[in-house]
């Protein structure tokens, strides 16, 4: 739906961008080797190949965040091959904890053990590519609650060479991805196409919203960090996602380059239980409201399809 707010926001951004590709965005993909309801190694390997080929074709650098607990779900060796493919394609890898559990449930000590347990394979693969393990992404974007839990985790990460990878664009791709896998499994081509179209439409709308949010806090576009997942949906959508970034004047940069934007030096004092992204955290630090009136949730049919599929598998 095109609203008056959208029109105002669009003309504002068009007027504001002298260079059509001046904006920066770093893509991050969580839950490697893959987020899928289909437990099939060939499917997982193939979707990663397709995704990586697409990223390379569009010159989009990316960082993949690994759950080493998933390596044992399928063929251990071939799962490691998938991680290696990311590094061979010139992408980076980070730690997303071993078992993808919440710090708020585990508490600081068990959560730190889970981070350490998620290191060895990724660390060894990075070393073989002359790189070091530097990035950590919190599962569910939950950074630890209450405050002492967060403080202990932050302290441990900082003294063990990690930097937290924030998220400043999140279009709930995971919620579309499971119904998409399910449509593929049921060979329902109509539904598959419908989900993909709705996903892309929602992603572009949310990209606009996050840019508006950044302008509210910083009066400018920041170098964005987008949260995505290693899914068949994104593998099939990568050409369309690249086109969305182009239309919005954004070009892909590595995560460390995006993090050079001074916006990422804004303190994050949020220690509540919710997994919220960083613009919302900073809105609290800076005492400025985000444009919630124009925020939209994923379509209702996607939300109900997700609940149904998630219960079935
Ligand atoms: Zn995750």
């Amino acid at each position: 739906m095109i609203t008056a707010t959208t029109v105002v926001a669009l003309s504002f951004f068009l007027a504001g961008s002298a260079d059509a590709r001046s904006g920066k965005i770093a893509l991050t993909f969580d839950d490697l080797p893959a987020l899928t309801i289909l437990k099939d190694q060939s499917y997982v390997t193939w979707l990663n190949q397709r995704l990586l080929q697409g990223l390379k074709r569009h010159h989009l650098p990316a960082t993949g965040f690994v759950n080493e607990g998933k390596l044992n779900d399928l063929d251990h060796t071939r799962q490691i091959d998938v991680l290696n493919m990311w590094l061979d394609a010139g992408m980076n890898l980070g730690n997303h904890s071993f078992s993808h559990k919440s710090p708020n449930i585990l508490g600081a000590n068990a959560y730190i053990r889970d981070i350490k347990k998620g290191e060895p394979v990724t660390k060894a693969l990075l070393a073989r590519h002359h790189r070091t393990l530097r990035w950590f992404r919190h599962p569910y974007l939950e950074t630890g609650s209450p405050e002492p839990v967060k403080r202990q985790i932050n302290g441990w990460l900082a003294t063990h060479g990690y930097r937290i990878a924030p998220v400043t664009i999140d279009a709930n791709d995971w919620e579309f991805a499971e119904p998409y896998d399910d449509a593929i499994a049921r060979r329902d081509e109509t539904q598959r196409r419908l989900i993909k179209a709705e996903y892309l439409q929602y992603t572009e709308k949310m990209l606009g919203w996050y840019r508006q949010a950044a302008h509210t806090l910083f009066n400018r576009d920041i170098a964005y960090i987008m949260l995505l997942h290693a899914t068949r949906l994104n593998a099939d959508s990568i050409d369309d996602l690249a086109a969305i970034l182009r239309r919005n004047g954004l070009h892909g940069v590595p995560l460390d380059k995006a993090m050079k934007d001074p916006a990422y030096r804004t303190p994050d004092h949020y220690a509540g239980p919710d997994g919220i992204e960083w613009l919302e955290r900073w809105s609290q630090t800076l005492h400025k409201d985000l444009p919630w009136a124009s925020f939209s949730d994923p379509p209702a049919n996607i939300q109900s399809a997700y609940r149904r599929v998630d219960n079935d598998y």
Side-chain angles (χ1 to χ4, degrees):
M1 189 179 66
I2 302 281
T3 61
T5 321
T6 319
V7 173
V8 170
L10 277 175
S11 46
F12 171 63
F13 289 131
L14 290 172
S17 57
D19 174 356
R21 300 272 273 158
S22 57
K24 295 187 183 76
I25 187 165
L27 300 186
T28 60
F29 291 84
D30 284 11
D31 300 12
L32 262 61
L35 175 65
T36 173
I37 49 175
L38 306 176
K39 304 295 173 208
D40 180 297
Q41 186 63 57
S42 297
Y43 186 81
V44 165
T45 300
W46 185 80
L47 79 82
N48 275 280
Q49 281 166 342
R50 187 164 158 80
L51 179 61
L52 290 167
Q53 281 163 4
L55 290 169
K56 279 186 359 188
R57 194 163 57 245
H58 295 287
H59 308 287
L60 290 167
T63 304
F65 287 91
V66 181
N67 297 125
E68 290 196 13
K70 288 188 167 196
L71 299 179
N72 299 319
D73 288 354
L74 294 167
D75 181 325
H76 189 79
T77 308
R78 290 179 67 198
Q79 291 281 73
I80 293 174
D81 289 343
V82 167
L83 303 182
N84 215 21
M85 271 164 33
W86 276 71
L87 295 172
D88 285 344
M91 309 299 164
N92 200 0
L93 292 177
N95 187 344
H96 192 36
S97 86
F98 182 83
S99 58
H100 207 281
K101 291 198 178 116
S102 162
N104 307 345
I105 292 166
L106 290 182
N109 290 329
Y111 189 69
I112 288 166
R113 279 199 297 277
D114 202 43
I115 298 172
K116 275 199 267 193
K117 202 176 165 189
E119 284 177 346
V121 174
T122 311
K123 226 176 195 172
L125 291 174
L126 281 162
R128 268 206 264 153
H129 287 77
H130 312 288
R131 304 186 76 152
T132 48
L133 181 55
R134 179 144 179 73
W135 296 105
F136 178 73
R137 164 71 48 75
H138 284 286
Y140 313 105
L141 307 187
E142 291 174 4
T143 51
S145 185
E147 202 276 333
V149 172
K150 179 179 178 177
R151 199 178 341 125
Q152 192 184 333
I153 295 166
N154 280 354
W156 186 87
L157 288 170
T159 52
H160 289 77
Y162 279 107
R163 286 190 79 186
I164 296 168
V167 169
T168 45
I169 295 181
D170 177 6
N172 287 39
D173 66 320
W174 53 272
E175 204 163 0
F176 295 80
E178 285 194 11
Y180 189 79
D181 275 345
D182 176 62
I184 288 172
R186 291 186 294 103
R187 296 189 161 75
D188 186 341
E189 183 60 11
T190 311
Q191 181 69 0
R192 186 190 73 79
R193 282 171 185 271
L194 182 78
I195 294 168
K196 182 169 174 249
E198 289 192 293
Y199 168 55
L200 293 167
Q201 196 182 19
Y202 182 70
T203 300
E204 188 153 24
K205 185 153 75 170
M206 290 315 290
L207 190 73
W209 186 83
Y210 280 101
R211 293 184 71 190
Q212 217 184 321
H215 279 265
T216 305
L217 299 186
F218 300 106
N219 297 312
R220 62 178 177 88
D221 269 315
I222 62 167
Y224 298 97
I225 299 172
M226 185 173 192
L227 171 61
L228 294 160
H229 291 77
T231 62
R232 171 70 186 266
L233 174 60
N234 284 325
D236 288 356
S237 302
I238 194 66
D239 289 341
D240 309 274
L241 291 170
I244 288 173
L245 301 184
R246 260 197 313 274
R247 275 204 293 280
N248 284 273
L250 299 170
H251 74 274
V253 295
L255 180 56
D256 56 350
K257 195 164 177 192
M259 288 291 289
K260 291 207 166 73
D261 187 315
Y264 291 96
R265 294 203 289 265
T266 312
D268 158 31
H269 298 307
Y270 178 75
D274 296 334
I276 54 176
E277 45 66 33
W278 267 250
L279 290 170
E280 188 172 351
R281 292 165 187 269
W282 297 334
S283 81
Q284 298 181 12
T285 310
L286 301 170
H287 304 290
K288 288 182 182 174
D289 286 332
L290 295 185
W292 292 116
S294 58
F295 184 89
S296 36
D297 290 318
N301 64 310
I302 295 295
Q303 292 188 42
S304 61
Y306 175 81
R307 280 194 295 272
R308 179 174 49 76
V309 170
D310 203 47
N311 285 332
D312 282 359
Y313 283 84

